[in-house]
Amino acid sequence: MIFKARINAWRAGLQRILEGSPRRKYSIITGLTLLLPLGLMLWTESLQRGSLTNAFGWMLKNATISMFNYGIYLSVFVLIYALVGRFVFAAGLSALLLALAALTSYFKSSLIGEPFFPWDLMLRKEGLNIFSYISSFSTAFKLLVILLCIACIFLLRIVVPKLSLPLLARLGLGLLSIYVLYAASVQSPWAGKLAKELGYKETVWNQNKNYTDNGLAAAFVMNVKHTIIERPEGYSKEELARIAESIVAIQQASAQSANDGQDNSAAGSEAAVKPNVIFIMNEAFWDPTLLPNVSFSEDPIPTVRGLQQQFTSGYLLSPQFGGGTSNVEFEVLTGLSMSLLPQGAVPYQQHVGDSLPTLASYFEDQGYYSMGIHPYDGWFWSRNRVYKSFGFERFKSKTGFDNPQFKGAYISDEEVTKSIIEEVSASDRPMFIYAVTMQNHGPYSKPRYQEHEVQVSGELTEDAAQILQTYTQGVRDADKALGDLIAHFEQSGEPTVIIFYGDHLPMLGEEYSVYLQGGLISSSSAWDWSLEEWQRMRSIPFVTWSNIPMEKQSYPALSYAFLGSVILDELHMDKPAQFALGSKLAKQLPAMTGPLYVDAQSQLYAKVPEHSKSLVDDYRKLQYDLMFGKRYLADYVDGAFIHKTPQEGYTLE
């Protein structure tokens, strides 16, 4: 009772002060409104950078850009204040929303090397998947402390009066805040000039540095403009007509070469045979024996190792690390490149509309039954919608598996192999299958297997060794599942081509701990890596197998976007528009992704080399035309393919 009486007394005293003079009241509100965003900035940057010391250090070292961030925090708070009408409630809500943004950015940077982007807001359920990685006791305790701090802010409303503003003032301040945030987001002339004068230096290709140097609020808001895809300079119907001419020339030369190859080979008599074409993108598949400081009791991937010696194989340069599987699918299936989209973009969520020409729709045109298989939830990355847009006839997701075997939290790779065999056996048409596995999805911090066929040893901490041990067993299971699939088609003799690869390197501990201890990289900061280290951390082995005659090729570095062209060439099939132009570009610049480009002589570059800029510009215009433009290309080449609509009988399991 005494405590309650004191609270009431304090509240009454504050109320008398505020009611004594309107000028005094609004002076107090103004002062608190100007002071609070400073606290919000310190609060947010502390969470984003991992400590209060780091936040203070950044603010003192970057005083002018801190002012720019302060203006954004002020606008955010004033907007929320204008909407809710109560100062304390607006302060608590602001602290909560900003804490969520800062923590998301902190964990995302620690785990996969990317901060929190505006387009991450479109991920919906996928964003919840991060919580499986941050469930440690120390992290849970930190989150609890943060929530308690926010709760304390809300509880201040017991003591502090409403501090409300007149409706007209709230409306004016709210509109002003929206204007300021909009101007900063789209970088209107005055906002862009002000940001530059205050020291904002955008580093689009290095977003970690962008956020570290410029602050979370400024970097996040200024990134909004990247969600708006700008028309490439020179994009026009006439330009696409010119590009179409070059595509037709490529297609004609390719067709002649394919005919010559068939006429001069034993395969000529089998030219009419349409083999099953099976792409298997194995979750986080990589070769752990590439860690120089680690030893293995036996080779964990003997099947893959054998295929590397006998069939077309090489290394794919992934646009992702540790996550973002759908972006790799996007490159393979569409023949388009993530390097021409903003860093952090997710086309499946942002840019895939009602239809987009892909390998799935192309093979369907060739008489194939096109099917996607993924033993996880169909909504993840919006595959249930996107696969329809891509021209698949059927998508079998987690619910399509009948009483499957699980290994850990996910359906096993062996079950995917069984599913592929069942689907091919049941089909009266040759099949194009795009299968994405799930068993070896992270995190790997907790043991998930009772036995480990391959033992790991080396210069690793106990935690790192356990993570790598768990991951390696998953790789071993993936290799065995591939071997079982090959054995089936060897025995059945049904003409089949298999393409097997991973989507990205696995996330092995925070701050690349296993890679650092294993000797693959020299720093826990990705932006300190050399170009050679970038290549190591983005290179994924791929192998092929077939029971029809195919020429063996080797690819030291290849973009996923160009993999479809390679396979179509191997099959002596015509290449549709984007795959044809991609094949030409691949001869000059076989691998391209945001931080790294590799040319035909295996030279490494941090940006597009001069000798390939013209062709990359053409490729960019084609990609824009298909994804965002008028599809002028269809007027000159592959019109039916480009304008093909989704299958009417599309089936989702």
Side-chain angles (χ1 to χ4, degrees):
M1 293 295 292
I2 296 175
F3 180 68
K4 184 177 181 181
R6 286 184 177 178
I7 290 177
N8 289 334
W10 289 337
R11 184 180 179 88
L14 289 172
Q15 192 69 43
R16 283 195 299 272
I17 293 173
L18 294 173
E19 291 176 351
S21 166
R23 179 177 296 179
R24 179 186 298 171
K25 174 184 176 181
Y26 293 124
S27 295
I28 291 174
I29 292 176
T30 302
L32 291 174
T33 300
L34 293 174
L35 184 62
L36 183 68
L38 189 62
L40 291 175
M41 179 166 63
L42 187 59
W43 160 263
T44 305
E45 290 297 333
S46 297
L47 297 177
Q48 149 87 357
R49 297 170 190 273
S51 75
L52 186 62
T53 303
N54 290 339
F56 262 125
W58 170 76
M59 289 174 64
L60 293 175
K61 185 179 178 181
N62 303 276
T64 54
I65 195 62
S66 295
M67 291 173 58
F68 187 70
N69 279 266
Y70 171 82
I72 295 172
Y73 285 109
L74 177 62
S75 299
V76 169
F77 172 71
V78 169
L79 177 59
I80 294 175
Y81 187 18
L83 290 172
V84 302
R86 297 187 178 186
F87 188 92
V88 173
F89 190 72
L93 188 57
S94 298
L96 176 60
L97 294 176
L98 292 170
L100 287 173
L103 288 171
T104 301
S105 192
Y106 172 76
F107 286 119
K108 195 165 175 251
S109 294
S110 297
L111 295 170
I112 62 174
E114 291 182 348
F116 179 44
F117 298 118
W119 39 91
D120 289 334
L121 295 171
M122 302 177 70
L123 298 184
R124 298 188 294 274
K125 295 180 183 178
E126 291 84 344
L128 299 177
N129 202 40
I130 193 173
F131 287 106
S132 61
Y133 291 94
I134 58 176
S135 56
S136 67
F137 174 78
S138 60
T139 301
F141 180 75
K142 183 185 293 185
L143 292 175
L144 179 61
V145 171
I146 292 168
L147 289 174
L148 286 174
C149 290
I150 295 172
C152 288
I153 296 174
F154 280 110
L155 287 174
L156 284 175
R157 63 189 296 268
I158 298 174
V159 179
V160 179
K162 290 183 180 180
L163 294 178
S164 57
L165 292 172
L167 183 60
L168 191 59
R170 287 170 56 188
L171 179 61
L173 289 171
L175 291 175
L176 179 61
S177 298
I178 291 172
Y179 171 70
V180 170
L181 292 172
Y182 173 79
S185 298
V186 301
Q187 224 173 84
S188 64
W190 74 263
K193 182 180 179 181
L194 177 62
K196 188 175 181 180
E197 289 178 351
L198 291 176
Y200 183 84
K201 295 180 180 179
E202 187 172 33
T203 314
V204 176
W205 61 92
N206 187 338
Q207 288 287 354
N208 268 343
K209 179 177 172 58
N210 197 30
Y211 278 62
T212 299
D213 292 350
N214 296 309
L216 173 63
F220 183 88
V221 169
M222 300 291 266
N223 260 326
V224 169
K225 66 181 181 297
H226 295 306
T227 63
I228 305 168
I229 306 298
E230 295 183 3
R231 176 188 294 193
E233 185 177 351
Y235 173 75
S236 66
K237 188 170 186 177
E238 292 73 23
E239 267 294 280
L240 268 297
R242 179 188 62 78
I243 293 170
E245 287 182 10
S246 65
I247 289 172
V248 170
I250 296 166
Q251 290 174 329
Q252 290 174 344
S254 179
Q256 183 60 50
S257 176
N259 290 334
D260 292 344
Q262 289 177 353
D263 292 341
N264 296 325
S265 72
S269 60
E270 302 177 8
V273 173
K274 292 182 178 179
N276 300 304
V277 179
I278 302 170
F279 283 74
I280 302 174
M281 189 167 76
N282 193 274
E283 172 61 38
F285 183 86
W286 178 66
D287 182 359
T289 67
L290 293 174
L291 293 167
N293 297 343
V294 180
S295 298
F296 298 83
S297 60
E298 61 180 88
D299 188 355
I301 52 172
T303 303
V304 167
R305 202 76 67 202
L307 295 175
Q308 287 174 330
Q309 303 302 316
Q310 301 176 54
F311 297 89
T312 291
S313 63
Y315 286 88
L316 297 165
L317 193 67
S318 180
Q320 302 294 137
F321 171 82
T325 298
S326 70
N327 287 352
V328 181
E329 286 178 48
F330 169 80
E331 286 207 344
V332 176
L333 288 167
T334 66
L336 305 176
S337 177
M338 289 298 303
S339 68
L340 304 180
L341 295 172
Q343 184 187 0
V346 184
Y348 275 27
Q349 297 288 351
Q350 297 171 264
H351 306 310
V352 176
D354 293 334
S355 68
L356 191 64
T358 68
L359 286 176
S361 57
Y362 173 73
F363 274 94
E364 196 276 333
D365 278 342
Q366 307 305 308
Y368 279 72
Y369 179 17
S370 58
M371 179 179 183
I373 298 176
H374 181 47
Y376 197 59
D377 297 308
W379 54 257
F380 207 72
W381 296 123
S382 297
R383 284 188 180 93
N384 46 13
R385 174 186 62 82
V386 170
Y387 277 16
K388 180 179 181 180
S389 299
F390 279 3
F392 283 97
E393 292 186 49
R394 182 169 160 223
F395 174 33
K396 182 178 181 179
S397 66
K398 179 180 179 179
T399 53
F401 286 77
D402 184 22
N403 193 28
Q405 173 198 44
F406 279 72
K407 285 205 171 179
Y410 307 109
I411 294 175
S412 71
D413 286 2
E414 193 61 40
E415 287 291 335
V416 177
T417 286
K418 291 178 183 178
S419 181
I420 292 172
I421 292 172
E422 290 171 0
E423 297 299 338
V424 171
S425 299
S427 176
D428 58 0
R429 285 185 285 162
M431 292 199 73
F432 169 79
I433 294 178
Y434 197 89
V436 183
T437 70
M438 197 66 184
Q439 177 186 326
N440 211 19
H441 195 287
Y444 314 97
S445 55
K446 296 180 180 178
R448 70 172 69 165
Y449 305 108
Q450 293 182 349
E451 297 180 2
H452 295 92
E453 298 174 69
V454 182
Q455 301 304 311
V456 174
S457 60
E459 302 173 17
L460 302 171
T461 64
E462 183 178 347
D463 287 344
Q466 187 274 306
I467 289 171
L468 185 58
Q469 186 80 68
T470 298
Y471 172 74
T472 301
Q473 182 59 45
V475 167
R476 181 70 187 89
D477 287 350
D479 186 85
K480 182 179 182 301
L482 174 62
D484 291 345
L485 185 64
I486 291 171
H488 167 80
F489 287 111
E490 283 179 333
Q491 184 177 14
S492 72
E494 183 169 359
T496 300
V497 176
I498 298 172
I499 306 97
F500 178 91
Y501 50 92
D503 49 355
H504 50 69
L505 270 73
M507 193 190 308
L508 300 178
E510 293 188 17
E511 297 183 334
Y512 312 101
S513 58
V514 172
Y515 298 105
L516 188 62
Q517 294 173 39
L520 196 69
I521 53 175
S522 59
S523 171
S524 61
S525 172
W527 306 111
D528 292 333
W529 296 345
S530 64
L531 291 178
E532 289 76 14
E533 287 175 311
W534 270 106
Q535 185 174 25
R536 288 178 217 148
M537 294 297 286
R538 292 297 182 100
S539 292
I540 311 296
F542 85 92
V543 292
T544 62
W545 174 88
S546 67
N547 55 7
I548 62 173
M550 294 179 71
E551 184 180 357
K552 181 181 185 298
Q553 300 286 346
S554 179
Y555 295 88
L558 184 72
S559 279
Y560 286 82
F562 304 144
L563 180 61
S565 300
V566 166
I567 301 305
L568 292 175
D569 278 338
E570 293 262 347
L571 293 170
H572 302 296
M573 296 177 72
D574 294 335
K575 294 188 292 292
Q578 68 263 40
F579 295 95
L581 188 61
S583 68
K584 181 178 180 180
L585 178 56
K587 290 179 172 61
Q588 288 187 22
L589 196 66
M592 49 191 283
T593 188
L596 178 66
Y597 299 83
V598 186
D599 71 9
Q601 288 72 46
S602 295
Q603 294 295 310
L604 309 183
Y605 304 85
K607 58 183 180 180
V608 177
E610 289 294 330
H611 60 69
S612 297
K613 277 189 174 180
S614 176
L615 195 49
V616 169
D617 284 344
D618 285 353
Y619 186 57
R620 186 191 308 274
K621 291 168 187 171
L622 177 147
Q623 179 162 321
Y624 179 86
D625 187 58
L626 294 181
M627 293 185 68
F628 313 106
K630 302 291 187 180
R631 296 197 176 178
Y632 294 133
L633 193 68
D635 293 341
Y636 307 102
V637 62
D638 293 335
F641 168 68
I642 292 171
H643 285 310
K644 186 175 178 63
T645 57
Q647 296 292 314
E648 291 185 4
Y650 171 73
T651 304
L652 171 65
E653 295 182 12

